[in-house]
Amino acid sequence: MLENKDIDAVSVCLPNFLHAPISIDALNAGKHVLCEKPPARSAQEAKAMADTAAENGKTLMYALVQRFDGSSQKLKQLVKDGELGDVYFGKAAYVRRRGIPIGKEGWFVDRERSGGGALIDIGVHALDCIWWLMNSPKPVEVMGTSYSHFGHLVPDGVKYDVDDGTFAQIRFENGAIIILETTWALNLPGDNYIKIAGTKAGATLNPFTLYTEKDGKEVDKPIDAPSINGFDEEVKHFVECIVEEKTPISSAEQGIMLMQMLDGIYESSEKGRSVSIADLNTVKG
């Protein structure tokens, strides 16, 4: 397939451990690449992918679909328009009460092949969306704790060495913070939300509401958003970036920073303390 000169672009929809090698092969073959989330298993792999795209002059975009949802697009515009002021706080959750994926031959719950569990699988959606809404500031420090308490829910004989719950706080260069909650299994009701707050107003995506004030009084303003198929818009944007030689909103460079945050959370959990993004081995060299 990669030798076929009629193919301009490749969509990589494979298990996490194949994202980097397949994307790199496609980029080296002169193809543009739309790669599913997470970008890779680590920032080191994401950097290798970004470097290969740059060397070949090809587009590498990540399929972070929540950025293309109608509500997300509308809220992003409100942030750009200054409706929220300086956005300095965010809280996001992607919480399942029960919902551990196994995948073919158990790859989802095998850290060597997946890179991690709930955090890298669904937490990446919540983190990426809220980080983008907050204008993608540079992460500087993370504190995180991961748990693995629900291995008894997977079939016997399946290797299970990943997190089924991770909770974290990320601090950014501009002083903003994000608090993240993500689980495949938790003894609480499932939840999925995005909340951001700025110096002028705040907003939530579920329900989509602007929290502001008028004449000194608190005002909760429901917001209507366009009905958009995020997957369709994602692919349209990818094609547009290729044709018009534009940088994707979910770019290769942002993929590196996103993976740095995930790497940092896992390292923080392992070390039992906060870690500096600048000290991670994955970003050196």
Side-chain angles (χ1 to χ4, degrees):
M1 181 185 70
L2 296 182
E3 293 175 356
N4 187 335
K5 302 300 181 183
D6 293 330
I7 295 175
D8 297 313
V10 172
S11 181
V12 178
C13 308
L14 294 166
N16 300 350
F17 69 98
L18 295 172
H19 286 191
I22 297 299
S23 294
I24 288 171
D25 282 350
L27 291 163
N28 280 329
K31 317 299 183 187
H32 304 280
V33 172
L34 175 62
C35 181
E36 262 300 335
K37 63 82 193 168
R41 292 178 300 179
S42 67
Q44 189 173 22
E45 287 187 346
K47 185 177 186 304
M49 296 163 72
D51 289 347
T52 305
E55 290 165 4
N56 288 281
K58 297 299 174 183
T59 298
L60 171 60
M61 175 176 149
Y62 292 110
L64 295 159
V65 71
Q66 290 196 7
R67 294 191 184 198
F68 298 91
D69 177 78
S71 297
S72 299
Q73 289 283 327
K74 178 68 174 181
L75 180 51
K76 181 67 171 180
Q77 191 59 53
L78 292 176
V79 172
K80 284 183 177 180
D81 291 343
E83 292 285 340
L84 278 69
D86 293 327
V87 179
Y88 61 91
F89 173 77
K91 189 175 183 182
Y94 199 149
V95 172
R96 294 176 182 167
R97 184 172 179 177
R98 293 291 186 273
I100 300 175
I102 303 300
K104 183 175 174 60
E105 298 176 350
W107 75 265
F108 267 105
V109 293
D110 176 1
R111 185 166 184 174
E112 183 178 353
R113 290 181 288 171
S114 64
L119 175 64
I120 202 170
D121 176 40
I122 57 176
V124 66
H125 273 309
L127 175 57
D128 177 74
C129 185
I130 196 167
W131 177 56
W132 174 68
L133 289 169
M134 295 173 69
N135 296 319
S136 306
K138 182 180 179 181
V140 294
E141 186 179 25
V142 299
M143 169 72 85
T145 303
S146 293
Y147 299 95
S148 183
H149 292 320
F150 292 88
H152 60 281
L153 298 178
V154 306
D156 291 340
V158 173
K159 179 183 178 183
Y160 188 84
D161 63 350
V162 296
D163 57 296
D164 43 47
T166 293
F167 309 90
Q169 177 176 303
I170 306 165
R171 184 171 63 86
F172 299 89
E173 192 173 57
N174 65 352
I177 66 164
I178 287 174
I179 297 172
L180 176 69
E181 306 170 19
T182 182
T183 71
W184 277 341
L186 185 71
N187 289 323
L188 287 171
D191 206 353
N192 189 350
Y193 62 76
I194 297 285
K195 305 176 182 180
I196 60 175
T199 53
K200 292 182 178 179
T204 60
L205 282 185
N206 187 22
F208 192 11
T209 306
L210 185 70
Y211 299 90
T212 184
E213 64 177 53
K214 184 176 182 180
D215 300 327
K217 295 182 179 180
E218 298 172 354
V219 177
D220 299 355
K221 181 181 177 182
I223 304 294
D224 292 326
S227 179
I228 294 175
N229 185 310
F231 294 101
D232 286 349
E233 291 302 310
E234 176 186 85
V235 174
K236 288 177 185 177
H237 180 68
F238 176 56
V239 173
E240 180 182 284
C241 289
I242 294 171
V243 174
E244 299 183 13
E245 298 183 350
K246 294 166 50 177
T247 299
I249 65 169
S250 47
S251 67
E253 290 303 319
Q254 287 195 354
I256 296 172
M257 281 196 284
L258 181 59
M259 290 310 307
Q260 286 172 355
M261 287 186 275
L262 299 183
D263 286 355
I265 293 169
Y266 280 134
E267 185 164 322
S268 172
S269 182
E270 290 171 2
K271 292 184 174 180
R273 60 171 176 80
S274 64
V275 299
S276 166
I277 293 293
D279 291 340
L280 294 176
N281 291 331
T282 52
V283 299
K284 294 179 179 178

